[in-house]
Amino acid sequence: MYRSIQVYSSYRIDRINEHGSVSLSDKCDGKISALLKGGSTQSAPFGGFIEVANLVGLQRVKLPNIHMLCEDDQGEKPSYQIPKNHYVVGTYLEQKLFITLENGEPKHFSDGKEDLDGKNNVVSLFN
C-alpha cells in the first residue's frame, strides 16, 4: 500500500506524506496542486490515499505534478511511477487533496502535451 508521494516542484522533487513534508528542503510546505476548470491551480495539503469505493458524489480533480508513489513514510522507496505528461486523479475532501485508488492502483491520464506523431516540431516555434 502507498504511504507517501514524490512531487515535482520548481525543478526539484519534494517528498510528502499525509502528515506533511518529509523533504530536507525548507521550501517544501507539504501541499500539492490541483488543476481547476479555468486552467489555474489551487494548492492544498496532501491528505493521503483513498479508495474509489469510498467516494460517493465527491468531485474528482486533476493532480498534475505527482511523480512517484512510495511504499514508505519517508518517500524513499518508489513503487509506482506516473508516466511523464500524465495527471493523477484525486479528490478534495476536508480541505485536503487525496489521491484516488481503484483496486489499489492510481488512475492517471495523459494531459495531451506529449508529441503523438513522433516528429520534432521545435523548428515551428521560430517561423
Side-chain angles (χ1 to χ4, degrees):
M1 187 63 178
Y2 306 114
R3 300 178 139 215
S4 61
I5 58 174
Q6 293 181 1
V7 180
Y8 285 121
S9 177
S10 301
Y11 299 103
R12 69 178 186 275
I13 295 180
D14 293 329
R15 295 188 315 261
I16 303 170
N17 66 20
E18 62 188 25
H19 303 294
S21 171
V22 292
S23 291
L24 299 176
S25 172
D26 294 335
K27 297 179 181 180
C28 181
D29 58 359
K31 294 184 178 182
I32 56 175
S33 344
L35 289 176
L36 302 178
K37 285 184 181 179
S40 61
T41 60
Q42 178 73 29
S43 293
F46 176 62
F49 301 91
I50 190 167
E51 278 289 332
V52 176
N54 299 335
L55 300 178
V56 178
L58 292 178
Q59 191 171 18
R60 291 181 169 85
V61 295
K62 296 177 182 178
L63 307 174
N65 298 331
I66 309 295
H67 175 58
M68 297 257 190
L69 305 181
C70 303
E71 294 177 349
D72 62 331
D73 287 331
Q74 301 302 316
E76 296 176 351
K77 296 180 184 173
S79 61
Y80 191 90
Q81 181 175 3
I82 305 300
K84 188 176 181 180
N85 295 324
H86 278 75
Y87 64 85
V88 177
V89 178
T91 189
Y92 184 74
L93 178 67
E94 298 173 357
Q95 299 179 348
K96 293 184 178 183
L97 287 167
F98 291 84
I99 294 176
T100 58
L101 300 175
E102 187 172 310
N103 298 325
E105 295 296 320
K107 297 288 270 185
H108 55 86
F109 298 97
S110 172
D111 64 2
K113 291 181 182 176
E114 71 272 359
D115 189 14
L116 296 176
D117 59 1
K119 296 180 184 176
N120 185 356
N121 295 327
V122 175
V123 73
S124 65
L125 295 174
F126 301 105
N127 289 340

